[in-house]
């Protein structure tokens, strides 16, 4: 693929050969914590998994159990996993990698609009005037969505990229705003102030549909263009341009991803961005909206299915008596009237010794958590760990029982839900290897060992149970999903097609129809927790490349000449200052740990800023460097801002 300037990506590689993971083809157990794995029959492995869960529950109660559910797998699988947690184990402790990425988006959108989904559809990006890609490298991380962005640009839209790095996405933009890491609120407030000062805010929309505007005006008052330039490093002129173009556009899309959410104040960052849409009325209309591009293929669906600690399927609040009673009747069970633990709280509970058993389906927290050495130690100290995956991950290596599952997209039937809330069918195209079994069948066999006989003839039977309990999904039968090539929630009617965008109600003139006002978020700029100083003078930010996926488990299984190993990327000036060359190994140290990695020089970086991925943790464990500084509202760690130093190895 070529960028707008016609440049081609280099495929660069280190000398290190990345680890590849074997597919698990039969169950594994070990006879003691120190013993090696041995092959087991399915019956023995499931008996052992169930016995461990029963033992820890009898000794320490239902909340000593936690489930990690797979954001790669289907809606149906996530529905059954959360049902297993709530009905069989009697706890709401179920979460997934949503916590490490877009939990702040869900929290911020819910606070503003009462619902956690992105407000527009991909197609609207093709039919808009301005596209702001904020903290998002979509050309690498959301290439399908980016095709829609490219069409939008071809149709005349102007694109802005707000990212500390001049990324591949930024190469396509009309204007790149290269801000300092962790200064997004300062930038957003300065844009807001400039819009108000210039009288470009949408007074009618603000008056009718929002609350807290007067306080917002006071909040952004100090954020002059010159102060913002000093704090963010973005020239005042560029801030003014973005403010004017965004505010005067007829339609505008504001998209963000982890550059916004993976901070100790991720939810505040999200609120600061949503404020700009409220100020201009760029939400709730065709072509205008706010879109967090979600991470794993079904992380949206996993949350929608209730595989999160505070919501029942259909995003229905557990604290609401009516919702809880509906599920209690349908499932013939009692649901605790309290929120369960988030992934973040689970790791804290491991440290405190109150979490004893974990059932981890399709997650690799030993390598994906911030401060991975600490995460590994906590996982290893559990009384009972069951891992259900398709590959023998670093997390699986710590398990008492390993259960081989199918791969969602190729070997199973069901549905997944993407960032535009579109539910789509997936179908089994391949036969699972060896004795690997479907995730849902494994969960049902385990439930049966606790006396729960769930009769799901197929994935459609699971989906129909979900539909009967989630009004937003009721109108999406498998037949209709087939007929319309997927449908977006909310889809309450089985005879009408859903709208492509949310919150049209905000534009109603009748206050009764308009409903709840959207409040401005009164959030303050707060710099990263891990401060740079003379010992740790460089700012490290971490993220993704096009050619690899997350902890590298799935992409690692393909020997591809395109995949290169880990590097620490520096700008040319810093490489000269440190006297290091491309390919030279350096020691990279943070306040948490030290790794060794070869250097790459990237002119898209700026002095004082370094970049690494976390795609090759077996060769270079980047997360030994990152800090577990969590957003207090969403629980997401500050993966995007660590303080480091580098030293020559020789
Ligand atoms: N090829 C590929 N695609 C993927 C994945 C993958 O591993 N590989 N993973 C998937 C998953 S789980 C997710 S969640 C998504 C993530 O998708 P993205 O969020 O787009 O990916 P990242 O590279 O983590 O981060 C995006 C950008 O944030 C910028 N950034 C860092 N700090 C800041 C800051 O303080 N402010 C701002 N404004 N920007 C900042 C980084 O420079 C980076 O370019 O990608 C999904 N798609
Ligand atoms: N430094 C740094 N760390 C980060 C981030 C960052 O930007 N920087 N980003 C964070 C983000 S956004 C995320 S989402 C996390 C990712 O964190 P994880 O979800 O822990 O990492 P993955 O590598 O995506 O692991 C997914 C696992 O699911 C398994 N799997 C796939 N399909 C199936 C299936 O159908 N069934 C079963 N049972 N298993 C399956 C795969 O084999 C793999 O082991 O990492 C986080 N960590
Ligand atoms: Mo993610």
């Amino acid at each position: 693929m070529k960028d707008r300037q016609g440049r081609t990506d280099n495929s660069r590689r280190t000398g290190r050969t990345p680890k590849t993971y074997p597919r698990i083809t039969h169950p594994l157990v070990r006879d003691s914590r120190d013993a090696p794995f041995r092959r087991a029959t399915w019956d023995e492995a499931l008996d052992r998994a169930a016995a461990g869960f029963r033992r820890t529950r009898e000794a320490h109660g239902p909340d000593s159990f936690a489930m990690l559910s797979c954001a790669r797998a289907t809606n149906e699988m996530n529905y059954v996993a959360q049902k297993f947690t709530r009905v069989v184990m009697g706890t709401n402790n179920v979460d997934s990698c949503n916590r490490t990425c877009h939990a702040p988006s869900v929290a911020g959108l819910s606070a503003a609009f009462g619902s956690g989904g992105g407000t527009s559809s991909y197609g609207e990006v093709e039919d808009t005037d301005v596209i702001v890609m904020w903290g998002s490298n979509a050309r690498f991380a959301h290439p399908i969505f980016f095709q829609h962005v490219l069409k939008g640009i071809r149709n005349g839209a102007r694109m802005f990229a707000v990212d500390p790095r001049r990324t591949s996405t930024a190469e396509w933009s009309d204007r790149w705003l290269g801000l300092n890491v962790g200064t997004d609120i300062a930038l957003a407030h300065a844009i807001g102030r400039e819009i108000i000062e210039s009288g470009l805010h949408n007074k009618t929309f603000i008056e009718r549909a929002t609350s807290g505007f007067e306080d917002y005006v006071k909040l952004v008052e100090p954020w002059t263009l010159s102060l913002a330039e000093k704090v963010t490093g973005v020239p005042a002129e560029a801030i003014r341009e973005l403010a004017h173009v965004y505010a005067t556009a007829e339609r505008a899309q504001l998209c963000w991803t982890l550059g916004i959410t993976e901070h100790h104040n991720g939810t505040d960052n999200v609120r600061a961005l949503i404020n700009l849409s409220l100020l201009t009325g760029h939400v709730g209309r065709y072509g205008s909206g706010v879109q967090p591009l979600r991470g794993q293929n079904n992380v949206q669906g996993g949350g929608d299915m209730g595989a999160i600690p505070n919501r029942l399927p259909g995003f229905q609040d557990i604290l609401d008596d009516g919702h809880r009673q509906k599920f209690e009747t349908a499932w013939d069970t009692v649901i605790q009237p309290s929120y369960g633990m988030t992934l973040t709280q689970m790791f804290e509970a491991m440290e405190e010794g109150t979490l004893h058993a974990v059932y981890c389906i399709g997650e690799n927290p030993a390598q994906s958590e911030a401060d991975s050495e600490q995460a590994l130690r906590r996982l290893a100290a559990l009384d009972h760990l069951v891992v259900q995956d398709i590959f023998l991950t670093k997390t699986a290596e710590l398990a008492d029982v390993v259960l081989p599952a199918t791969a969602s997209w190729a070997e199973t039937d069901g549905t997944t839900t993407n960032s535009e809330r579109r539910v789509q069918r997936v179908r089994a195209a391949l036969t699972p290897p060896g004795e690997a079994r479907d995730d849902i069948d494994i969960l049902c066999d385990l439930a049966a060992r606790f006396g729960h006989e769930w009769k799901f003839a197929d994935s459609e039977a699971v989906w129909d149970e979900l539909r009967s309990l989630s009004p937003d999904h009721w109108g999406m039968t498998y037949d209709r999903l087939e007929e319309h090539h997927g449908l977006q929630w909310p889809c309450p009617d089985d005879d009408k097609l859903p709208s492509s965008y949310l919150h049209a109600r905000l534009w109603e003139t009748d206050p009764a129809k308009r409903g709840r006002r959207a409040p401005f978020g009164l959030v303050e700029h707060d710099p990263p927790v891990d401060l740079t100083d003379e010992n740790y003078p460089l700012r490290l930010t971490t993220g993704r490349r096009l050619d690899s996926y997350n902890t590298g488990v799935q992409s690692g299984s393909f020997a591809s000449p395109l995949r290169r190993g880990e590097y620490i990327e520096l700008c040319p000036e810093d490489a000269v200052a440190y006297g290091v060359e491309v390919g030279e190994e350096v020691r990279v140290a943070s306040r948490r740990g030290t790794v060794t990695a070869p250097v790459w020089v990237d002119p898209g970086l700026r002095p004082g800023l370094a970049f690494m991925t976390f795609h090759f943790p077996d060769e270079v464990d980047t997360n030994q460097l990152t800090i577990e500084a969590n957003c207090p509202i969403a629980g997401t760690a500050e993966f995007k801002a660590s303080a480091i130093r580098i030293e020559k190895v020789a």
Side-chain angles (χ1 to χ4, degrees):
M1 204 191 270
K2 287 190 170 152
D3 65 22
R4 226 175 191 179
Q5 281 76 31
R7 278 175 286 193
T8 313
D9 264 358
N10 292 320
S11 60
R12 333 151 185 161
R13 270 177 295 159
T14 58
R16 304 183 190 198
T17 314
K19 176 171 171 175
T20 56
Y21 293 83
R23 190 71 198 259
I24 320 170
T25 52
H26 47 74
L28 296 168
V29 297
R30 60 171 106 240
D31 292 317
S32 71
R33 257 296 149 96
D34 307 319
F37 281 128
R38 67 171 171 78
R39 186 174 179 156
T41 62
W42 268 106
D43 266 339
E44 185 191 9
L46 289 172
D47 284 346
R48 279 189 179 228
F53 293 147
R54 190 174 288 115
R55 176 170 43 83
T56 46
R57 187 177 63 183
E58 275 164 13
H60 309 285
D63 291 331
S64 67
F65 169 89
M67 164 78 82
L68 294 180
S69 188
C70 183
R72 309 284 288 149
T74 60
N75 285 325
E76 289 74 3
M77 178 268 151
N78 276 281
Y79 176 84
V80 178
Q82 62 82 36
K83 184 171 174 180
F84 180 91
T85 309
R86 295 194 163 105
V87 177
V88 177
M89 301 308 298
T91 175
N92 289 314
N93 294 340
V94 52
D95 208 1
S96 78
C97 70
N98 79 81
R99 200 59 48 195
T100 62
C101 62
H102 272 295
S105 301
V106 176
L109 286 162
S110 300
F113 303 114
S115 151
T119 75
S120 329
S121 295
Y122 295 173
E124 290 171 51
V125 169
E126 297 173 17
D127 204 7
T128 193
D129 305 312
V130 178
I131 304 166
V132 185
M133 302 299 299
W134 198 316
S136 161
N137 190 7
R139 203 209 139 223
F140 276 15
H142 297 92
I144 295 177
F145 175 78
F146 200 65
Q147 292 305 313
H148 296 278
V149 171
L150 292 181
K151 278 193 196 161
I153 292 174
R154 234 173 278 141
N155 292 341
R158 298 189 66 188
M159 203 250 274
F160 289 80
V162 186
D163 197 301
R165 301 184 302 139
R166 203 179 70 235
T167 59
S168 187
T169 303
E171 295 285 358
W172 286 88
S173 66
D174 293 277
R175 180 75 100 139
W176 166 56
L177 281 70
L179 81 175
N180 297 327
V181 170
T183 62
D184 298 273
I185 294 179
L187 182 64
H189 282 3
I191 293 172
R193 183 184 188 277
E194 175 65 22
I195 291 173
I196 297 166
E197 286 279 297
S198 311
L200 298 175
H201 49 304
N202 189 326
K203 293 150 203 99
T204 322
F205 181 81
I206 293 168
E207 158 79 17
R208 275 196 197 149
T210 72
S211 64
F213 176 65
E214 294 308 322
D215 291 332
Y216 178 73
V217 174
K218 281 192 215 121
L219 178 78
V220 299
E221 175 53 35
W223 288 103
T224 59
L225 293 178
S226 61
L227 175 63
E229 174 170 328
K230 218 181 295 155
V231 173
T232 66
V234 180
E237 197 35 56
I239 306 177
R240 178 189 317 215
E241 184 191 12
L242 176 49
H244 284 249
V245 172
Y246 181 73
T248 54
E250 203 173 304
R251 296 172 180 170
Q253 293 285 344
L254 181 46
C255 309
W256 70 81
T257 52
L258 304 186
I260 283 302
T261 59
E262 282 184 341
H263 290 277
H264 75 282
N265 54 347
T267 307
D268 287 358
N269 282 344
V270 169
R271 295 298 298 273
L273 263 52
I274 292 174
N275 285 343
L276 300 179
S277 75
L278 298 179
L279 195 58
T280 51
H282 282 317
V283 67
R285 285 185 297 139
Y286 176 79
S288 276
V290 286
Q291 299 205 48
L293 310 168
R294 302 296 303 257
Q296 306 233 23
N297 58 324
N298 198 33
V299 65
Q300 174 75 49
D304 297 345
M305 292 302 109
I308 41 175
N310 56 345
R311 292 286 185 272
L312 291 158
F315 212 68
Q316 300 176 80
D317 197 336
I318 288 180
L319 300 186
D320 182 302
D321 292 343
H323 291 154
R324 230 176 29 253
Q325 278 156 17
K326 177 170 70 174
F327 283 89
E328 287 178 334
T329 309
W331 292 343
D332 189 19
T333 193
V334 177
I335 298 169
Q336 288 195 41
S338 55
Y339 293 155
M341 284 190 251
T342 61
L343 176 64
T344 319
Q345 289 163 337
M346 291 172 195
F347 274 85
E348 286 162 10
M350 287 179 211
E351 184 73 39
E352 289 158 11
T354 52
L355 184 61
H356 294 267
V358 168
Y359 185 0
C360 174
I361 307 183
E363 298 269 321
N364 186 18
Q367 297 186 315
S368 57
E369 284 288 295
D371 199 345
S372 54
E373 207 161 279
Q374 173 178 273
L376 204 75
R377 178 173 53 74
R378 290 171 174 177
L379 285 164
L382 285 167
D383 293 343
H384 188 55
L385 175 62
V386 176
V387 171
Q388 181 168 316
D389 205 296
I390 54 182
F391 294 107
L392 197 65
T393 62
K394 186 94 168 183
T395 309
E397 282 172 14
L398 302 170
D400 299 280
V401 180
V402 179
L403 304 173
T406 54
S408 64
W409 49 273
E411 294 164 1
T412 193
D413 263 347
T415 60
T416 59
T417 310
N418 70 6
S419 298
E420 58 167 4
R421 299 164 277 104
R422 186 179 300 279
V423 178
Q424 302 177 91
R425 285 276 281 123
V426 291
R427 293 171 191 80
L430 300 172
T431 317
E435 296 171 23
R437 299 183 59 205
D438 197 276
D439 282 300
I440 295 179
D441 295 339
I442 302 172
L443 279 158
C444 289
D445 275 4
L446 264 181
R449 281 168 166 74
F450 290 84
H452 296 270
E453 296 293 338
W454 294 339
K455 299 264 174 284
F456 297 118
D458 50 22
S459 61
E460 189 170 12
V462 179
W463 185 247
D464 286 341
E465 179 173 312
L466 170 271
R467 282 178 48 240
S468 73
L469 292 162
S470 169
D472 281 352
H473 293 87
W474 172 249
M476 302 179 180
T477 60
Y478 269 20
D479 283 347
R480 288 191 88 212
L481 290 175
E482 180 93 46
E483 184 188 339
H484 298 288
H485 303 288
L487 289 165
Q488 288 168 287
W489 65 253
C491 184
D493 306 305
D494 54 15
D495 54 354
K496 283 197 217 105
L497 284 180
S499 163
S500 69
Y501 58 94
L502 299 179
H503 314 312
R505 62 172 180 85
L506 293 172
W507 290 89
E508 294 279 356
T509 43
D510 176 357
K513 286 196 194 148
R514 212 183 303 135
R516 176 186 180 278
R517 284 170 181 271
F520 280 89
L522 303 177
V523 295
E524 304 270 6
H525 165 63
D526 189 15
V529 172
D530 204 19
L531 295 174
T532 50
D533 61 16
E534 64 274 17
N535 286 327
Y536 299 97
L538 285 172
R539 175 58 74 209
L540 171 72
T541 196
T542 63
R544 288 156 174 81
R545 289 199 208 117
L546 182 62
D547 50 54
S548 298
Y549 197 81
N550 287 359
T551 64
V553 176
Q554 286 179 280
S555 44
S557 306
F558 299 93
S560 160
L562 282 179
R563 288 182 71 242
R564 49 195 169 105
E566 190 64 85
Y567 286 93
I568 174 151
E569 300 182 7
L570 302 171
C571 72
E573 296 89 327
D574 281 343
V576 170
Y578 283 97
V580 289
E581 287 176 16
V582 171
E584 182 177 341
E585 300 261 337
V586 292
R587 238 188 321 274
V588 185
S590 78
R591 295 186 176 92
R592 278 121 343 249
T594 305
V595 302
T596 310
V599 168
W600 184 260
V601 176
D602 182 348
L605 288 166
R606 295 174 304 131
L609 180 65
F611 179 77
M612 293 175 78
T613 77
F614 63 118
H615 295 319
F616 307 92
D618 293 293
E619 289 76 44
V620 181
D621 187 3
T622 304
N623 274 331
Q624 287 199 17
L625 304 170
T626 51
I627 182 170
E628 200 209 17
N630 298 321
C631 169
I633 301 167
T636 304
E638 194 151 58
F639 288 112
K640 292 289 183 261
S642 312
I644 57 157
R645 67 163 171 265
I646 62 169
E647 291 156 1
K648 286 168 93 79
V649 169

